[in-house]
């Protein structure tokens, strides 16, 4: 008959081996190159939306608010961003007539990296560089949208605009803003946003790319009578 | 011995989920994606504390108690064995509450949470059987 002490020793050896294997596995998972996945359809919590209504540009006192529902991987959104938005920004936002509100509306079925791009921008916002990242993502849409490793491209842009890499990585790998993006998408769905980009101006939806002149005309109609005329 | 091994397994599952939650592990290996939904839900915190961290502490305590109960000085129906039964019983109730949240509030299932639920149920069964047997022998 085996001595009970030797049986216990064998058990400790087994337990030690299991513990060692477990620790080694966890260490490997922590130090291996990380992949990023931003889940869709997460349950939106109070903390995801409290105090956050979108990414804002312009004065709080602006008489008109324009909300853009957009998808970073949508070519039409990129066209608006690169061609029309600089004029909109100069004529309407910087002149104090419009406050801009950007909301994510990722079309997951068509654009597999849209949600990840939105999340990369949200992580840049943590470090006060949302609009720099926003612009970098749209600028390089043709590059990352066909890349095998879009997450790596977003990280390159994050580094290029001066974000702290470790904080950005932690934000991305924990999908910290998955709920916020989902809340934004839910808001667009509830409003009936039919396509991207869509603009909500004065309670009415304007789907599709909108020329800066058309947007200026819509905004002018909504301006209070006493407001100064728009600066071209 | 079985309780100690299962507690160690539960400890590693909890550690894996906690490391994911704090952003140290990129994606979670979960077929249907329910794990991320559960882990990123508001219900993944209990009284301001990460549920996965509660799991690490809980399984850690069960492991220590299970190892203590194996020591020659604690043979028979000793306090570590009794505490093991009480704590694993409480953990089963807590796990039941978490499973209810998964099924009816979050409406997603995390396979690691299911594995943990099975582990804690088996731990309670083994701990209770051990205690009953040692009481019978002591009588």
């Amino acid at each position: 008959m085996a001595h009970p002490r030797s049986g216990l020793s064998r058990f400790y050896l087994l337990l030690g081996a299991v513990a060692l294997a477990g620790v080694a596995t966890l260490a490997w998972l922590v130090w291996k190159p990380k992949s990023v996945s931003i889940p869709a359809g997460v349950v939106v919590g109070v903390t995801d939306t409290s105090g956050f209504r979108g990414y804002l540009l312009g004065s709080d006192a602006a008489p008109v608010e324009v909300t853009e529902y957009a998808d970073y991987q949508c070519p039409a959104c990129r066209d608006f961003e690169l061609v029309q938005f600089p004029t909109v920004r100069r004529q309407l936002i910087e002149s104090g007539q419009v406050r801009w509100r950007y909301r994510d509306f990722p079309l997951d079925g068509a654009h597999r990296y849209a949600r990840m791009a939105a999340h990369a921008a949200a992580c840049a916002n943590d470090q006060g560089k949302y609009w720099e990242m926003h612009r970098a993502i749209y600028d390089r849409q043709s590059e990352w949208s066909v890349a095998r490793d879009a997450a790596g491209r977003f990280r390159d842009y994050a580094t290029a605009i001066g974000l702290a890499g470790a904080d950005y990585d932690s934000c991305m790998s924990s999908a910290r803003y998955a709920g916020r993006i989902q809340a934004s998408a839910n808001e667009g769905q509830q409003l009936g946003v039919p396509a991207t980009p869509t603009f909500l101006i004065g309670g009415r939806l304007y789907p599709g790319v909108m020329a800066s002149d058309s947007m200026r005309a819509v905004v002018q109609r909504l301006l209070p009578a006493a407001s100064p005329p728009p600066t071209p | 011995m079985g309780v100690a091994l299962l507690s160690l397994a539960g400890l590693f599952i909890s550690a894996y989920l906690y490391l994911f939650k704090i952003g140290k592990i990129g994606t979670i290996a979960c077929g249907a994606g329910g794990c991320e939904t559960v882990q990123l839900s508001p219900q993944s915190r209990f009284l301001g504390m990460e549920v996965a961290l509660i799991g690490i502490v809980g399984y850690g305590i069960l492991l220590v108690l299970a190892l203590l109960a194996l020591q020659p000085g604690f043979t028979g129906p000793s306090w570590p064995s009794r505490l093991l039964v009480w704590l694993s019983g409480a953990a089963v109730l807590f796990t039941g509450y978490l499973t209810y949240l998964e099924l009816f509030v979050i409406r997603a299932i995390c396979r690691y949470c299911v594995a943990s639920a099975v582990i804690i149920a088996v731990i309670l069964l083994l701990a209770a059987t051990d205690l009953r047997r040692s009481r019978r022998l002591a009588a």
Side-chain angles (χ1 to χ4, degrees), chain A residues 24-193:
Chain A
T25 306
L26 289 179
W28 176 75
L29 287 169
V30 168
W31 278 296
K32 73 170 182 162
K34 291 171 183 59
S35 54
V36 174
S37 164
I38 310 301
V42 295
V43 178
V44 176
V46 178
T47 51
D48 292 322
T49 51
S50 61
F52 181 82
R53 295 180 55 241
Y55 301 99
L56 302 171
L57 266 184
S59 165
D60 286 350
V64 177
E65 184 173 88
V66 176
T67 305
E68 178 187 3
Y69 293 89
D71 167 319
Y72 278 104
Q73 201 171 345
C74 128
C77 301
R78 179 201 54 200
D79 291 348
F80 175 79
E81 173 69 25
L82 302 185
V83 181
Q84 305 297 334
F85 188 67
T87 310
V88 169
R89 186 168 183 161
R90 194 177 61 251
Q91 292 185 341
L92 300 177
I93 301 172
E94 289 171 3
S95 67
Q97 295 171 69
V98 162
R99 184 159 74 150
W100 198 263
R101 195 160 77 95
Y102 185 91
R103 298 293 269 163
D104 293 306
F105 195 75
L107 305 170
D108 300 307
H111 302 142
R112 62 181 178 148
Y113 295 137
R115 202 171 279 263
M116 192 191 292
H119 199 276
C123 290
N125 187 56
D126 265 0
Q127 299 184 45
K129 296 205 170 184
Y130 176 78
W131 293 103
E132 290 90 333
M133 191 66 169
H134 173 94
R135 178 69 192 208
I137 291 170
Y138 273 126
D139 266 343
R140 315 286 282 272
Q141 190 198 70
S142 58
E143 180 184 278
W144 57 262
S145 58
V146 293
R148 283 186 63 196
D149 176 25
R153 300 298 173 101
F154 296 139
R155 197 187 190 287
D156 292 343
Y157 310 154
T159 309
I161 63 168
L163 297 184
D167 292 345
Y168 172 83
D169 288 343
S170 166
C171 175
M172 286 299 283
S173 57
S174 63
R176 187 181 297 161
Y177 294 111
R180 176 186 284 187
I181 294 166
Q182 190 58 46
S184 180
N186 292 349
E187 181 188 289
Q189 273 164 7
Q190 280 162 11
L191 284 168
V193 168

Side-chain angles (χ1 to χ4, degrees), chain B residues 43 96-109:
Chain B
Q43 288 75 25
Y97 168 68
L98 295 176
T99 306
Y100 159 78
L101 291 178
E102 275 187 85
L103 291 174
F104 300 107
V105 179
I106 310 169
R107 294 180 189 277
I109 289 288

